[in-house]
Amino acid sequence: MFAFIPRQKRPLQGILASLMLMLFCICAHASENLHDETLSKILDQAQTLEPLETVVISHNGSIVAERGYRGHTTTQPTNIKSASKLVMSALVGIAIDKGVLQGADQQIASLLARDLPAEPDPRLQKVTIGDLLTMRAGLGSTSGVNYGAWVTSSNWVRAALARPFEDEPGGRMIYSTGSTHLLSAILSRQTERTTLQLARDWLGPLEAFSITSWERDPQGIYMGGNQMAMSPRSLLAFGELYRNGGVTAEGERLISEAWIRSSWQRHTQSWWTGHGHGYAWFLTRIADQDVRYGWGYGGQMLYVVPDLGLTVVMTSDESASAARSGHRNDLHRLLAKIIGNLTERT
């Protein structure tokens, strides 16, 4: 025979506490799903932006959403256009850390002596590496209406150095891809290696980062600041490196924190966006958050929002100006919605 042992009554207070815990977990899970659904709706609505091709969103090191539009994917290489100036800036910073270059205040004339004009403007002796990074060399632009003549010249470095001065070195920002191309030439000559080799070596430990193609000038120098292809996932990995202070997910330091601070410091202001400009990075506020971003023609965007642990890549059709069409502002507004969705969670 079995003796009947009455089950001990569970205190009512404990039962209520357990129910409250279960209810909290259910509500939290439902809230999380709601925000996921909201983010999905935001990306659904983004399809109305006709030039938009991909969006990738990473939060605290994990991809939380990505979308390809009109047959594009986040793993296919795309021309990131002038967003590649960010890569050039990183390579310069690494070169300084390695002692290949002296620093941002180093003057460039002796480094490019063989390509100086026959009778150089004396102000060329004052132009520094930092001036090239911040677009304050004072030299006339090789971009915009001057771009075609520059890239069809027989020597891009000489052509950029021969541009007439429109301001003093260290003066106002004059956007010019020729300036960042001079940095590519300097790196190649100081190391006797191509800029692509340096990128693959110095940034190679960064998982998922890969440059798949890159245009060169007639002398074989890789174009500093344009015509570089990589996947949106690769550009995201690069942005994550900066968000993490120059350290890879595996803990290997590739870029110094000091260089990232200098890159994200306001050195000048863009007259055509009104935003601050550091070492190739633009600086602004979107949705009440400090945002650092790079952008390329057509709307190739890399956004980093440090305080939120957020990195976002958007790529677009490269055939039309995102500034003139208003598409760049549409992308800023899309980022604002993504930020809003994230801040509602906290």
Side-chain angles (χ1 to χ4, degrees), residues 165-341:
F165 274 85
E166 296 180 0
D167 201 352
E168 297 300 311
R172 64 185 173 89
M173 180 181 177
I174 301 173
Y175 189 89
S176 177
T177 297
S179 289
T180 44
H181 187 63
L182 294 179
L183 293 171
S184 184
I186 289 169
L187 287 174
S188 295
R189 293 174 186 179
Q190 289 300 105
T191 62
E192 297 184 344
R193 301 175 67 193
T194 70
T195 320
L196 179 59
Q197 288 172 332
L198 296 177
R200 288 174 172 169
D201 181 11
W202 293 350
L203 295 172
L206 182 60
E207 187 177 356
F209 179 81
S210 176
I211 298 171
T212 56
S213 67
W214 193 358
E215 187 173 331
R216 291 195 278 183
D217 74 6
Q219 285 65 49
I221 298 169
Y222 283 94
M223 190 175 194
N226 200 4
Q227 302 302 89
M228 177 190 290
M230 66 175 66
S231 70
R233 284 280 195 106
S234 179
L235 186 56
L236 184 84
F238 178 81
E240 280 288 276
L241 178 65
Y242 267 72
R243 188 188 66 79
N244 286 317
V247 178
T248 68
E250 293 71 34
E252 182 175 356
R253 176 164 295 284
L254 302 184
I255 306 173
S256 69
E257 287 186 281
W259 184 255
I260 293 176
R261 284 196 301 271
S262 295
S263 300
W264 285 355
Q265 178 183 342
R266 183 191 181 100
H267 295 279
T268 185
Q269 180 173 321
S270 167
W271 67 268
W272 38 275
T273 66
H275 296 166
H277 190 260
Y279 289 162
W281 290 84
F282 290 92
L283 318 171
T284 191
R285 283 183 66 81
I286 295 176
D288 295 325
Q289 296 292 327
D290 288 327
V291 177
R292 290 83 171 93
Y293 73 96
W295 78 285
Y297 189 86
Q300 324 312 320
M301 314 298 295
L302 169 59
Y303 297 102
V304 179
V305 189
D307 291 344
L308 295 180
L310 181 66
T311 304
V312 179
V313 167
M314 303 178 192
T315 64
S316 306
D317 182 355
E318 64 178 83
S319 65
S321 169
R324 288 194 294 269
S325 69
H327 180 59
R328 183 192 63 213
N329 292 334
D330 289 338
L331 298 180
H332 289 345
R333 284 189 284 269
L334 176 56
L335 177 68
K337 292 179 182 179
I338 293 168
I339 290 173
N341 178 71

Side-chain angles (χ1 to χ4, degrees), residues 30 32-42 44 341:
E32 181 179 345
N33 286 341
L34 176 62
H35 286 291
D36 289 343
E37 290 174 4
T38 304
L39 184 57
S40 182
K41 288 178 181 177
I42 289 171
D44 286 344
N341 178 71

Side-chain angles (χ1 to χ4, degrees), residues 11-21:
L12 181 60
Q13 189 175 14
I15 295 173
L16 290 174
S18 298
L19 289 172
M20 290 295 292
L21 179 61

Side-chain angles (χ1 to χ4, degrees), residues 19-34:
L19 289 172
M20 290 295 292
L21 179 61
M22 290 173 61
L23 183 61
F24 173 81
C25 292
I26 292 170
C27 290
H29 182 68
S31 177
E32 181 179 345
N33 286 341
L34 176 62

